[in-house]
Amino acid sequence: MKLWDKGIAIDKKMEQFTVGNDREIDLHIAPYDVIASRAHARMLAKINIISSEELKQLESGLDAIALQIEEGTFIIDDQFEDVHSKIEHELTLQLGEVGKKIHSARSRNDQVLVALQLYYKEALGQTRTSIKTLFDTLLDLAELHKDQLLPGYTHLQVAMPSSFGLWFSSYAELLVDDVYVLDATMRIVDQNPLGSAAGYGSSFPIDREFTTQEMGFAALKYNVVAAQLTRGKNERSIAASLSNVANTLSRFAMDICLYMSQNFGFISFPDELTTGSSIMPHKKNPDVFELIRGKCNKIQALQTEMLLITNNLPSGYHRDFQLLKENVIASFVELNDILEIFNYSIKKIIVKEIDLSDEKYQYLFTVDNISNLVVDGASFREAYKTIGEQVENGTYVPDTSKHHTHIGSIHNLSLSHIREKFPIE
């Protein structure tokens, strides 16, 4: 039942420890092992390791397994170490000796690598699509609320006038930067490692360019040692890109939690999107965004985990790599769930009218008023001192009429330019 079985009995305690929960995790990559196995079989037929009839049988067997996976009936039983041994067993069960030929010219090492990279490619694409959906929602909200002013803060102290348009579009533009990193990661994983075998290639005359095209990889990882060295490097790059997205969302969620509190009172949500208290009937808690904040912080910890597992490992394969996939896969699932609920919830945000004439906001416009004096001929230092003295002696009266005209300011959001920045796939 194991790809490496030589007929020697295995200590059950050791087996349980080394396999861990790989069977459950491998269900995520099962469809991709089928895709890679099909490409590999076609390549074996191309180089005459198997016949065209044997290829037809293998493809039929793989189609049947793919259907089981799609229907949710595919199970990795306890007697199997992982999805790869299960699929080969199923092919052998169906096809006899033909099924045993599928593993020619490959190792479980490159079999795992290619299945993971196919999974990573699709998962990164799904994350990118979810980010684009949220990006569009935020820019639509920015356009809708572009004229509604909002106090801006530095050090959590009242600073300068902002707007809801500026706030929504700021996080939209940060998502663009996150996609730049995501796309860079896609380029890294979009390289075919199949054919590297156990890390040193194969003595069979395999056609690696053929399998690259068959599986839709953008490029081939040429050096077979480099292909194996990508195990861990891929996950570290993915962790960094997911962490960037999570950082943007966690900071946004924190803003929302602050702005919902009574001390700010800038926004609200419908009752059905909030939770209550078991003893305080007035509570409307932003649990969704608090959980988003916490979950995103967990995702940001992934980068450290990937670093520590892989740091200073010598070249070649090591079993440590098995520990990488569980939390990378879990983070993809988690982040896409977060993006979906964030987009669903933020669409229902209730933006409140804020009375900027309230005493606590009276110094929001000091910088604007300094600018007025400079425009009238005063030096900046002279104008700063004048307004500062008015603040100190209690004679300051805010002039709220100043318009910010430069690109990216509250009265010139440049939303169309931000929208154009989102990279085309």
Side-chain angles (χ1 to χ4, degrees), residues 95-113:
L95 310 173
E97 290 301 310
V98 174
K100 296 178 182 179
K101 295 187 177 184
I102 189 67
H103 203 60
S104 304
R106 70 176 178 179
S107 162
R108 187 168 60 165
N109 290 357
D110 64 340
Q111 191 176 355
V112 173
L113 254 177

Side-chain angles (χ1 to χ4, degrees), residues 271 275-285:
D271 288 351
T275 63
S277 162
S278 63
I279 63 170
M280 295 173 283
H282 64 281
K283 295 297 291 296
K284 288 179 62 175
N285 298 323

Side-chain angles (χ1 to χ4, degrees), residues 376-391:
D376 289 340
S379 68
F380 177 83
R381 285 296 160 212
E382 179 186 355
Y384 180 91
K385 184 177 180 182
T386 298
I387 298 299
E389 288 175 348
Q390 292 175 8
V391 169

Side-chain angles (χ1 to χ4, degrees), residues 139 142-143 146 165 169 412-420:
L139 287 186
E143 178 65 38
K146 64 183 178 182
S169 59
N412 186 5
L413 295 176
S414 305
L415 298 182
S416 61
H417 294 297
I418 295 174
R419 199 177 291 276
E420 289 168 3

Side-chain angles (χ1 to χ4, degrees), residues 92-136:
T92 303
L93 204 62
Q94 293 177 45
L95 310 173
E97 290 301 310
V98 174
K100 296 178 182 179
K101 295 187 177 184
I102 189 67
H103 203 60
S104 304
R106 70 176 178 179
S107 162
R108 187 168 60 165
N109 290 357
D110 64 340
Q111 191 176 355
V112 173
L113 254 177
V114 71
L116 280 171
Q117 286 183 225
L118 287 168
Y119 169 81
Y120 293 155
K121 277 183 60 179
E122 184 161 324
L124 286 165
Q126 289 173 348
T127 302
R128 196 186 197 280
T129 298
S130 297
I131 291 171
K132 180 61 164 61
T133 299
L134 179 59
F135 170 83
D136 288 338

Side-chain angles (χ1 to χ4, degrees), residues 255-421:
D255 277 3
I256 290 170
C257 292
L258 278 177
Y259 290 177
M260 275 188 71
S261 73
Q262 289 87 345
N263 288 346
F264 288 81
F266 300 156
I267 60 174
S268 185
F269 285 88
D271 288 351
E272 60 268 22
L273 292 185
T274 64
T275 63
S277 162
S278 63
I279 63 170
M280 295 173 283
H282 64 281
K283 295 297 291 296
K284 288 179 62 175
N285 298 323
D287 283 17
V288 166
F289 294 99
E290 290 174 347
L291 285 170
I292 286 172
R293 184 176 59 198
K295 287 172 181 282
C296 283
N297 289 339
K298 278 185 65 179
I299 291 170
Q300 290 179 80
L302 181 69
Q303 207 169 352
T304 302
E305 181 183 334
M306 296 299 102
L307 174 67
L308 292 178
I309 291 174
T310 61
N311 201 36
N312 295 334
L313 288 178
S315 60
Y317 175 78
H318 308 278
R319 194 63 180 263
D320 312 52
F321 293 137
Q322 178 179 314
L323 305 176
L324 299 172
K325 60 185 175 181
E326 178 177 6
N327 285 341
V328 169
I329 290 172
S331 293
F332 270 123
V333 174
E334 190 84 271
L335 185 58
N336 282 316
D337 286 346
I338 289 168
L339 285 162
E340 182 183 357
I341 194 65
F342 209 128
N343 186 67
Y344 176 82
S345 301
I346 201 69
K347 280 182 173 181
K348 301 188 179 186
I349 193 171
I350 299 166
V351 170
K352 297 183 178 181
E353 290 292 335
I354 302 169
D355 181 9
L356 294 185
S357 65
D358 189 294
E359 183 181 356
K360 61 178 172 285
Y361 304 130
Q362 64 177 321
Y363 299 131
L364 268 177
F365 299 93
T366 56
V367 178
D368 286 355
N369 299 161
I370 290 170
S371 299
N372 288 337
L373 295 177
V374 171
V375 169
D376 289 340
S379 68
F380 177 83
R381 285 296 160 212
E382 179 186 355
Y384 180 91
K385 184 177 180 182
T386 298
I387 298 299
E389 288 175 348
Q390 292 175 8
V391 169
E392 287 299 316
N393 61 32
T395 62
Y396 171 73
V397 177
D399 178 358
T400 64
S401 63
K402 191 76 172 176
H403 272 243
H404 298 198
T405 58
H406 70 76
I407 290 174
S409 61
I410 54 177
H411 299 117
N412 186 5
L413 295 176
S414 305
L415 298 182
S416 61
H417 294 297
I418 295 174
R419 199 177 291 276
E420 289 168 3
K421 280 182 72 177

Side-chain angles (χ1 to χ4, degrees), residues 25-85:
I25 299 164
D26 276 4
L27 288 174
H28 290 277
I29 63 171
Y32 308 97
D33 191 76
V34 171
I35 291 169
S37 294
R38 185 181 288 112
H40 184 69
R42 289 173 180 171
M43 186 275 296
L44 291 177
K46 183 175 183 290
I47 64 171
N48 298 316
I49 298 297
I50 61 174
S51 69
S52 58
E53 178 57 35
E54 288 172 330
L55 172 61
K56 286 181 183 177
Q57 292 180 55
L58 286 170
E59 288 192 310
S60 175
L62 289 167
D63 287 343
I65 294 169
L67 184 61
Q68 289 177 31
I69 294 168
E70 186 179 338
E71 292 177 343
T73 59
F74 181 81
I75 297 169
I76 306 173
D77 313 88
D78 287 350
Q79 67 263 38
F80 298 103
E81 201 172 21
D82 52 32
V83 66
H84 317 292
S85 53

